[in-house]
Amino acid sequence: MFKKLKNKNKSETNQNNDLDIHNIPEHVAIIMDGNGRWAKKRRMPRIKGHYEGMQTIKKITREASNIGIKYLTLYAFSTENWSRPESEVNYIMNLPVNFIKTFLPELIEKNVKVETIGFYEGLPQSTIEAIDHAKAKTQHNTGLTLVFAINYGGRAEILQGVKAICKELQSNNQSSDIIDEELFNRYLMTHKYPDPELLIRTSGEQRISNFLIWQASYSEFIFNEKLWPDFDENELKECLKIYQSRQRRFGGLSEE
Ligand code: FPP
């Protein structure tokens, strides 16, 4: 049986950027890679790359919100990133504080809601306080949901979910037969969001690096050559155009 695919009408584009406004992914996830190389190329300390990376987050959040993307999940810090030098980790952990101090008014103005996935309790207190403040101030916003994956790892997320399911089954004396994808999804940190239709990784590296490994099963992957601090609104639009030119088949067949 043929799976019916949404017909793309190329004339249905918005004013100036040739995007099909009827085929904007609801959820875009980004692995923001290349900050260190960006700084190295300029003989600057790696932290300068992370600082510029934070500025790129502002640009991309603005653009995603303008385009009408509903969820933007950004891989800000993985469970494996703790192995970096302490000074770099401390610097990255302070960036949300800086980001929120400088960008919260615009997030509010743009109706953006801030959320996180990841092992939140493992973060420094000052980082938690800044993010909690942003979450509280934006909790009723209804536009773009900006999700920071921070102290996040896909395998750890899955293991946590599996343990919680086992515990619940045991205490309710239920059979594991009731476990299906829908139930499993409810135990993931992303349970409130649809799976990302599009996953972008910058800097030319072609790996998933433990990011949304369950949720990205059918995502379209785009490996963009730009280092994250050089990624901009036009690059995002180019990625969306590539996404729109792809046929998503979900294991089925496309119509001739
Ligand atoms: C990967 O580049 C980037 C990171 C591990 C950190 C990303 C963090 C930010 C952009 C800022 C986070 C800010 C907020 C507001 C949450 P890399 O250092 O691995 O680059 P390289 O591969 O070139 O060394």
Side-chain angles (χ1 to χ4, degrees):
M1 204 158 96
F2 291 106
K3 186 167 175 72
K4 188 139 177 58
L5 285 168
K6 190 153 76 173
N7 263 337
K8 277 197 294 250
N9 176 353
K10 284 288 171 198
S11 67
E12 289 178 325
T13 57
N14 56 3
Q15 284 160 350
N16 50 20
N17 57 19
D18 215 19
L19 280 178
D20 176 354
I21 54 166
H22 300 293
N23 189 16
I24 300 294
E26 200 180 2
H27 186 173
V28 175
I30 307 184
I31 302 178
M32 309 179 287
D33 197 10
N35 294 348
R37 275 164 284 163
W38 183 93
K40 195 173 173 199
K41 263 172 61 178
R42 290 163 179 76
R43 297 174 198 276
M44 289 172 171
R46 291 178 56 80
I47 57 170
K48 179 70 177 142
H50 295 313
Y51 176 80
E52 290 303 325
M54 177 193 67
Q55 304 295 16
T56 301
I57 294 178
K58 295 178 185 173
K59 282 190 222 165
I60 297 306
T61 301
R62 248 180 232 128
E63 189 64 12
S65 160
N66 290 343
I67 289 171
I69 291 166
K70 191 75 190 93
Y71 302 94
L72 176 66
T73 300
L74 302 177
Y75 204 9
F77 195 85
S78 76
T79 43
E80 289 71 39
N81 286 150
W82 295 105
S83 63
R84 295 185 177 212
E86 201 184 332
S87 56
E88 183 174 340
V89 169
N90 289 343
Y91 188 85
I92 295 175
M93 284 299 154
N94 196 47
L95 282 175
V97 180
N98 186 328
F99 177 82
I100 287 152
K101 204 191 264 175
T102 53
F103 202 53
L104 184 58
E106 196 172 333
L107 291 172
I108 294 169
E109 193 252 316
K110 282 207 159 303
N111 197 20
V112 174
K113 185 177 189 170
V114 176
E115 298 196 340
T116 58
I117 54 171
F119 296 90
Y120 203 52
E121 59 293 344
L123 301 175
Q125 198 50 37
S126 54
T127 312
I128 292 178
E129 277 168 19
I131 298 174
D132 278 349
H133 177 63
K135 283 179 176 174
K137 290 281 182 197
T138 63
Q139 63 182 322
H140 300 301
N141 288 353
T142 54
L144 171 74
T145 299
L146 173 63
V147 184
F148 286 115
I150 183 158
N151 197 16
Y152 172 85
R155 288 186 176 182
E157 174 191 36
I158 288 171
L159 286 180
Q160 176 184 264
V162 168
K163 284 181 196 161
I165 292 171
C166 289
K167 213 166 150 188
E168 188 139 335
L169 290 182
Q170 257 171 3
S171 65
N172 295 337
N173 212 9
Q174 283 171 306
S175 154
S176 59
D177 289 345
I178 68 161
I179 303 174
D180 59 12
E181 289 190 15
E182 199 267 321
L183 181 139
F184 188 68
N185 265 318
R186 279 192 266 132
Y187 287 81
L188 294 175
M189 293 165 175
T190 51
H191 60 91
K192 290 194 284 183
Y193 319 125
D195 288 343
E197 296 97 322
L198 172 60
L199 191 148
I200 300 168
R201 183 175 188 141
T202 60
S203 90
E205 301 291 336
Q206 303 193 0
R207 289 187 295 279
I208 192 162
S209 297
N210 206 12
F211 186 45
L212 302 178
I213 51 179
W214 168 276
Q215 299 86 340
S217 297
Y218 286 100
S219 302
E220 293 297 325
F221 282 47
I222 293 180
F223 299 107
N224 179 282
E225 291 298 321
K226 293 275 181 198
L227 303 173
W228 177 248
D230 291 330
F231 192 80
D232 61 13
E233 298 87 343
N234 284 333
E235 292 296 324
L236 177 65
K237 281 188 216 150
E238 284 309 313
C239 290
L240 292 171
K241 282 185 208 164
I242 296 171
Y243 167 83
Q244 293 186 340
S245 72
R246 299 230 182 126
Q247 282 201 329
R248 305 189 72 213
R249 291 196 291 273
F250 304 94
L253 298 173
S254 59
E255 284 176 327
E256 285 301 306

